[in-house]
Amino acid sequence: MSGKADLGATIGATLTISSKTYSAWSLRGWLLCKLAGLDVAEQQVANDAANRAELLLLSPSVLVPRLSYMGASVWDTLAIAEFLNEQFPDAHMLPAEPIARAHCRSISGEIHSGFTNLRSALPMNLKVRHASFPVFSGARPDIERIEAIWNECMERYGGPFLFGEKPTVADAMYAPVATRFISYAVAVSPVSEAYCQTIAEWEPMKEWAAAARAEPEEMEELDVEF
């Protein structure tokens, strides 16, 4: 095998995460490790309300998620993605074709730095499933932009994931958005609805969601994503 590291290597691999129920950034970091084929020991920060509030106030300076591997300590989800892509090139975390690869990086960067109204209006919560939910008008442009991104990807690359048959970094980055649309019964196009279902049925996502459901109810609700 030609990769810099053996797929599935586990020596010294630790991922520091927060709540599996609420933490979209932790989910992204964990999914990126799954894409790389890297099994990690999870180190979960305390799930008490005060700690969550502190994380919210300090974020993004609080280093969650943080990957510790082969002597490196890497935080920030995009940094984790690039590090893992370098270490595990045979995992094909990014599309092989240069134009598609640039597209993947661009939309991953967009979700990483934007959509603040969506984050505040629909915080990730994997334990809720609303039949209907009022979405304030400020979040609508974010939803429309995300749907436009997804629709373009499906038209260009054929689905069911954003860049074709296999998941990439972009799917790890947008997976928490898909969970929001499902949790809050957001009215979306058939294309977006199908993509949300693809994410929900993705095996790593099912594993994370099951663990989230098993988490104790220890944290207060805060209407901000962390």
Side-chain angles (χ1 to χ4, degrees):
M1 187 171 291
S2 60
K4 292 184 179 180
D6 293 333
L7 294 180
T10 59
I11 298 175
T14 302
L15 186 71
T16 303
I17 60 173
S18 186
S19 167
K20 291 191 173 183
T21 302
Y22 303 104
S23 179
W25 295 110
S26 294
L27 170 58
R28 291 180 175 110
W30 189 84
L31 289 174
L32 290 168
C33 291
K34 288 294 184 180
L35 283 175
L38 179 66
D39 292 328
V40 294
E42 297 175 14
Q43 183 175 9
Q44 195 163 16
V45 298
N47 281 346
D48 58 275
N51 184 66
R52 185 179 183 209
E54 182 180 359
L55 284 170
L56 285 165
L57 291 171
L58 294 177
S59 182
S61 61
V62 173
L63 310 184
V64 175
R66 182 179 72 249
L67 175 64
S68 300
Y69 180 60
M70 296 182 67
S73 181
V74 190
W75 60 96
D76 184 277
T77 50
L78 287 185
I80 291 171
E82 293 295 342
F83 175 77
L84 289 172
N85 183 61
E86 291 175 353
Q87 294 298 316
F88 299 94
D90 292 340
H92 306 294
M93 297 176 66
L94 294 169
E97 197 276 321
I99 302 302
R101 190 163 61 249
H103 188 191
C104 182
R105 283 190 166 111
S106 294
I107 67 169
S108 296
E110 189 170 352
I111 189 64
H112 182 269
S113 61
F115 305 110
T116 54
N117 285 334
L118 174 68
R119 299 180 198 280
S120 60
L122 305 174
M124 191 176 96
N125 186 339
L126 295 181
K127 288 185 178 179
V128 301
R129 188 73 177 267
H130 297 275
S132 63
F133 190 86
V135 179
F136 89 100
S137 59
R140 286 293 174 188
D142 285 356
I143 294 171
E144 291 169 3
R145 174 56 187 154
I146 287 167
E147 286 208 82
I149 290 170
W150 291 358
N151 189 67
E152 180 184 12
C153 285
M154 294 303 165
E155 287 185 353
R156 290 179 63 174
Y157 308 110
F161 292 97
L162 292 177
F163 288 85
E165 295 183 359
K166 296 181 179 180
T168 65
V169 167
D171 298 289
M173 296 299 293
Y174 281 88
V177 178
T179 72
R180 287 170 163 84
F181 288 176
I182 293 171
S183 292
Y184 296 99
V186 177
V188 294
S189 70
V191 170
S192 295
E193 187 174 354
Y195 178 65
C196 289
Q197 193 60 35
T198 293
I199 293 298
E201 294 175 356
W202 185 16
E203 285 302 319
M205 190 66 237
K206 289 165 65 175
E207 181 181 344
W208 179 278
R213 289 192 294 271
E215 277 188 335
E217 295 286 353
E218 295 179 349
M219 291 191 293
E220 65 184 8
E221 284 284 347
L222 294 175
D223 294 331
V224 185
E225 180 196 40
F226 73 110

